[in-house]
């Protein structure tokens, strides 16, 4: 299937194709410029010399269509043809040079995203000078400059790509205004893709048992918003900066607080900071931020906003695509394979839901991968996989095409005995084992059965009267699984 179809190839189209041509096999161009089509073919880009407004010249399928002629009327004709040929495709169109108002309005009605240079420039000027954005950046600068020492940028425990990327990007912002900063986390980076991201990009992030506020002049939280909630800080720790995209479940303290639940990732916010401050992202930061956005929005398909797409587009020219490919295809650990096998063996399917207790685990991130895999079972729309280590039961849940809010379901089921939360389609929980964990090896099977009775019992009981998924799911900032 063709993922990207480009119709027309004038000045904008040329630039677009030049940037995308290295990703062979995904790009298809229809243009009536003989010289350009020949050049593309020589570069192994699928290109057809034909009228881009005639759908007879299009491939059978396309996921994304970009209309990129300089002629507004031809762009409109191509957009109308593309919409008729690919009703489910994402269509992005360039308005062209000096489009008539009627043409511009018709394009807006036809395509998913219209790029109009005049409007884009006006929006950029308004955004740069606007009260909200200007005050936000001024407040951040003021907060950073008042610190009397380095800034500790603290992620949530066991950070995911969004938290890792946001942390190093905020370090970059702080250093740009002359404030030394350090990214810190507690726990483990154990998921193989997350380890690959950190290792391949050589990301400077410090693993700490606890963050001592006396070592730093200020504390910043990224991808979560409250000290002592899923991080190594004491609850009473004074926080200077909070940047998060999760709605908080309690009061948030900080000299500078930026929480935007309408965005799909905290990385989007940091990418916006860099853009507004005209800080060009280095390869490491840009690659991490784009990966953070992609993971948290599930490849721009889950709770995604226009700002997430714009951030991704702005980052793309600076990204190391080879590193991204290697991050997304890491070797699978033995622990992950064993956890998946145990999840399949011990699965408990009831209707369209499946739950599985895998017993004692070595890698908690393997639970999330097992939950994803069980969700691929026929007729299954909700999956739950859980296991225990270091005196805690870790729970990971996934939902797809279900009418329930999984995050709220786990809160109702497990909050009384632990902590739970998450998205409507991705959630997690942590439950202390308590005295149940004080068993010898011979009683291991009994412990697994007891844990299974408690977690699965509460889960299935709550599922029978589960909260419905809202149009835009409220999310908790913890626990991250």
């Amino acid at each position: 299937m063709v993922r990207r179809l480009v119709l027309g190839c004038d000045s904008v189209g040329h630039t677009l194709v030049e940037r995308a041509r290295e990703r062979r096999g995904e790009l298809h161009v229809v243009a009536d410029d003989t010289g350009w089509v020949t050049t593309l073919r020589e570069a192994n880009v699928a290109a057809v010399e034909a009228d881009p407004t005639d759908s007879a010249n299009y491939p059978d399928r396309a996921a994304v269509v970009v209309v990129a002629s300089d002629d507004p009327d031809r762009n409109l004709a191509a957009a109308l043809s593309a919409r008729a040929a690919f009703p489910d495709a994402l269509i992005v169109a360039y308005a062209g040079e000096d489009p008539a108002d009627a043409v511009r309005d018709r394009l807006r009605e036809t395509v998913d995203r219209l790029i109009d240079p005049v409007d884009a420039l006006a929006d950029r000027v308004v955004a740069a000078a606007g009260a909200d954005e200007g005050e936000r950046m001024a407040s951040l600068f003021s907060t950073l400059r008042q610190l009397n020492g380095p800034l500790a940028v603290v992620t949530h425990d066991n950070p995911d790509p969004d938290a890792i990327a946001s942390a190093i990007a905020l370090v970059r912002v702080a250093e740009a205004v002359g404030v030394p900063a350090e990214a810190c986390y507690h726990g483990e980076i154990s998921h193989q893709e997350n380890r690959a991201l950190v290792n391949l990009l050589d990301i400077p992030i410090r693993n700490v048992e606890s963050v001592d506020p006396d070592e730093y002049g200020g504390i910043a939280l990224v991808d979560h918003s409250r000290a002592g909630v899923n991080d190594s800080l004491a609850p009473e720790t004074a926080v200077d900066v909070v940047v998060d995209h999760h709605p908080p479940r309690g009061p948030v303290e900080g000299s500078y607080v930026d929480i935007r639940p309408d965005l799909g990732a905290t990385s989007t916010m940091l990418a916006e900071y860099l853009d507004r401050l005209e800080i060009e992202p280095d390869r490491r930061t840009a690659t991490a931020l784009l990966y953070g956005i992609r993971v948290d929005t599930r490849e721009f398909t889950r709770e995604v906003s226009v700002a997430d797409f714009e951030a991704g587009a702005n980052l793309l020219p600076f990204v190391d695509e080879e590193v991204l490919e290697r991050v997304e295809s890491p070797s699978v650990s033995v622990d992950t394979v064993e956890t998946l096998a145990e999840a399949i063996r011990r699965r408990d399917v009831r209707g369209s839901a499946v739950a599985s207790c895998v017993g004692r685990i070595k890698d908690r991130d393997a639970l999330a991968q097992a939950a994803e895999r069980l969700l691929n079972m026929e007729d299954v729309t909700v999956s739950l996989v859980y296991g225990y280590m270091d005196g805690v039961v870790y729970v990971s849940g996934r939902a797809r095409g279900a009418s329930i809010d999984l995050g709220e379901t786990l809160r109702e089921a497990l909050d009384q005995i632990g902590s739970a939360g998450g998205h409507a389609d991705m959630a997690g929980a942590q439950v202390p084992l308590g005295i149940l964990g004080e068993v010898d090896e011979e009683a291991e099977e009994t412990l697994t059965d007891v844990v299974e009775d408690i977690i699965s019992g509460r889960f299935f009981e709550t599922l029978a009267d589960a909260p419905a998924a809202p149009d835009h799911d409220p999310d908790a900032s913890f626990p991250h699984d």
Side-chain angles (χ1 to χ4, degrees):
M1 176 179 180
V2 173
R3 292 190 60 188
R4 293 173 294 165
L5 171 64
V6 178
L7 302 177
C9 230
D10 291 333
S11 56
V12 171
H14 286 194
T15 302
L16 172 68
V17 173
E18 283 290 349
R19 291 185 178 180
R21 63 196 296 179
E22 293 182 2
R23 300 177 67 174
R24 299 172 183 173
E26 296 183 347
L27 186 66
H28 189 103
V29 179
V30 178
D32 50 12
D33 183 330
T34 303
W36 181 238
V37 169
T38 300
T39 299
L40 292 177
R41 287 174 178 170
E42 291 174 350
N44 294 325
V45 175
V48 175
E49 182 183 352
D51 182 0
T53 68
D54 185 352
S55 61
N57 300 318
Y58 302 168
D60 293 337
R61 297 180 181 178
V64 179
V65 180
V66 179
V67 181
S69 168
D70 289 342
D71 186 329
D73 293 324
R74 283 176 66 79
N75 282 346
L76 176 57
L80 291 169
S81 295
R83 177 56 73 201
F86 311 112
D88 298 326
L90 172 67
I91 301 181
V92 180
Y94 169 47
E97 296 179 354
D98 195 23
D101 290 343
V103 173
R104 183 189 290 108
D105 292 343
R106 188 71 189 283
L107 274 168
R108 282 203 178 94
E109 295 173 357
T110 304
V111 305
D112 298 289
R113 179 79 189 281
L114 179 65
I115 308 300
D116 186 333
V118 175
D119 287 349
L121 179 58
D123 289 345
R124 183 60 179 259
V125 171
V126 170
D132 291 344
E133 192 64 39
E135 288 179 5
R136 179 182 293 140
M137 291 297 98
S139 177
L140 176 59
F141 273 30
S142 175
T143 300
L144 292 174
R145 285 170 174 160
Q146 289 177 15
L147 301 180
N148 58 5
L151 176 71
V153 182
V154 183
T155 73
H156 54 73
D157 288 351
N158 310 301
D160 58 9
D162 189 28
I164 295 168
S166 299
I168 65 169
L170 187 55
V171 167
R172 182 83 187 274
V173 171
E175 291 176 343
V177 296
V179 176
E182 183 176 41
C184 307
Y185 74 97
H186 175 72
E188 297 181 356
I189 300 176
S190 53
H191 192 297
Q192 60 260 26
E193 292 184 1
N194 300 352
R195 287 197 302 268
L197 177 73
V198 172
N199 293 335
L200 291 172
L201 290 175
D202 193 22
I203 289 178
I205 185 167
R206 177 187 174 195
N207 183 219
V208 295
E209 284 297 322
S210 63
V211 176
D212 183 358
D214 292 337
E215 292 184 34
Y216 300 94
I219 301 291
L221 306 182
V222 291
D223 208 33
H224 70 304
S225 57
R226 298 169 62 198
V229 178
N230 202 24
D231 65 26
S232 63
L233 297 170
E236 65 274 11
T237 300
V239 175
D240 299 276
V241 175
V242 176
V243 184
D244 189 18
H245 78 114
H246 301 98
R249 298 189 68 201
V252 176
E253 303 292 338
S255 302
Y256 173 85
V257 177
D258 186 3
I259 298 178
R260 288 185 259 172
D262 56 318
L263 301 184
T266 304
S267 291
T268 297
M269 301 168 69
L270 269 300
E272 180 185 286
Y273 285 8
L274 295 176
D275 184 52
R276 298 300 185 204
L277 300 173
E278 298 185 354
I279 302 172
E280 183 173 300
D282 56 82
R283 177 188 67 93
R284 170 195 290 150
T285 305
T287 305
L289 286 172
L290 180 59
Y291 188 60
I293 296 171
R294 286 172 55 176
V295 169
D296 254 39
T297 62
R298 194 175 288 168
E299 296 294 341
F300 297 95
T301 63
R302 180 185 64 131
E303 297 182 5
V304 66
S305 69
V306 172
D308 298 310
F309 282 108
E310 291 179 340
N314 291 337
L315 292 167
L316 197 56
F318 307 100
V319 165
D320 189 326
E321 294 190 12
E322 182 180 347
V323 167
L324 272 184
E325 291 178 2
R326 293 174 65 187
V327 168
E328 293 168 343
S329 303
S331 58
V332 179
S333 69
V334 173
D335 290 336
T336 298
V337 174
E338 290 178 346
T339 298
L340 177 58
E342 190 69 2
I344 294 172
R345 187 180 71 82
R346 295 184 60 93
R347 69 190 183 278
D348 181 0
V349 182
R350 305 186 193 182
S352 61
V354 58
S356 185
C357 178
V358 299
R360 194 172 297 275
I361 58 174
K362 298 178 182 177
D363 179 3
R364 56 175 290 189
D365 283 325
L367 298 173
Q369 297 176 71
E372 291 277 3
R373 294 300 182 93
L374 290 189
L375 197 59
N376 292 327
M377 292 174 58
E378 186 176 5
D379 298 326
V380 168
T381 60
V382 180
S383 66
L384 196 77
V385 179
Y386 54 97
Y388 49 87
M389 62 183 292
D390 301 329
V392 178
V393 180
Y394 294 99
V395 183
S396 182
R398 296 292 185 270
R400 182 180 301 132
S403 59
I404 69 163
D405 185 322
L406 185 57
E408 289 297 328
T409 299
L410 288 190
R411 287 189 194 104
E412 289 193 12
L414 302 174
D415 249 358
Q416 292 182 345
I417 60 173
S419 62
H423 299 274
D425 58 357
M426 182 174 69
Q430 298 176 16
V431 178
L433 268 177
I435 61 173
L436 295 179
E438 298 175 5
V439 299
D440 55 33
E441 293 183 1
E442 295 180 358
E444 186 76 28
E445 186 172 346
T446 301
L447 175 59
T448 299
D449 291 340
V450 171
V451 170
E452 183 176 36
D453 287 343
I454 294 173
I455 303 299
S456 286
R458 285 174 172 265
F459 171 65
F460 283 119
E461 181 179 351
T462 306
L463 200 61
D465 190 25
D471 292 336
H472 183 78
D473 160 56
D475 173 50
S477 62
F478 65 92
H480 295 255
D481 62 341

